[in-house]
Amino acid sequence: MKATELRETEAWQDLSALSSNTYVDTIETFDDEVRIDGDRFEGPLIWHVTLHYGQHASEDELVISDSFPGSFEGQLEDEVPVIERIMAEVSSFYE
């Protein structure tokens, strides 16, 4: 997961739309919930992000920390895990 370029994932499209400057603080994965089927794998994750609104370092800047569920999937290539998709579920932000 660490080697994946987050800005090139489906999740980044959803997360970056939440604020003018979205920063991913951490991605929490759950090793005991990863499902493996042959050379395919998938599992849940949680995105911990910081959302910035307004002009940086000004009185009107608003900074919010939030978390969103998501998932990942991929395959093993020569026993090396390769992440193919990373998703984020951000619909709760709009409710």
Side-chain angles (χ1 to χ4, degrees), residues 4-18:
T4 303
E5 176 54 51
L6 297 179
R7 293 183 186 271
E8 296 176 8
T9 67
E10 293 172 56
W12 182 248
Q13 293 174 2
D14 294 329
L15 293 168
S16 66
L18 300 177

Side-chain angles (χ1 to χ4, degrees), residues 18-23 50-54 56 61-64:
L18 300 177
S19 74
S20 54
N21 290 303
T22 300
Y23 297 95
T50 302
L51 308 173
H52 293 257
Y53 303 93
H56 177 66
E61 181 182 31
L62 174 64
V63 178
I64 300 172

Side-chain angles (χ1 to χ4, degrees), residues 37-58:
D37 183 11
D39 65 345
R40 305 282 312 158
F41 61 87
E42 61 182 27
L45 56 82
I46 296 178
W47 295 90
H48 298 280
V49 298
T50 302
L51 308 173
H52 293 257
Y53 303 93
Q55 185 65 29
H56 177 66
S58 70

Side-chain angles (χ1 to χ4, degrees), residues 18-37:
L18 300 177
S19 74
S20 54
N21 290 303
T22 300
Y23 297 95
V24 175
D25 298 320
T26 60
I27 301 173
E28 184 178 2
T29 59
F30 307 93
D31 294 343
D32 58 337
E33 294 185 36
V34 174
R35 294 170 298 286
I36 300 174
D37 183 11

Side-chain angles (χ1 to χ4, degrees), residues 58-91:
S58 70
E59 289 182 20
D60 68 338
E61 181 182 31
L62 174 64
V63 178
I64 300 172
S65 293
D66 210 338
S67 297
F68 299 96
S71 60
F72 64 91
E73 57 186 57
Q75 68 178 354
L76 296 172
E77 294 181 3
D78 296 323
E79 298 185 20
V80 176
V82 176
I83 304 293
E84 297 173 335
R85 291 183 72 197
I86 304 176
M87 288 79 61
E89 176 53 58
V90 298
S91 61

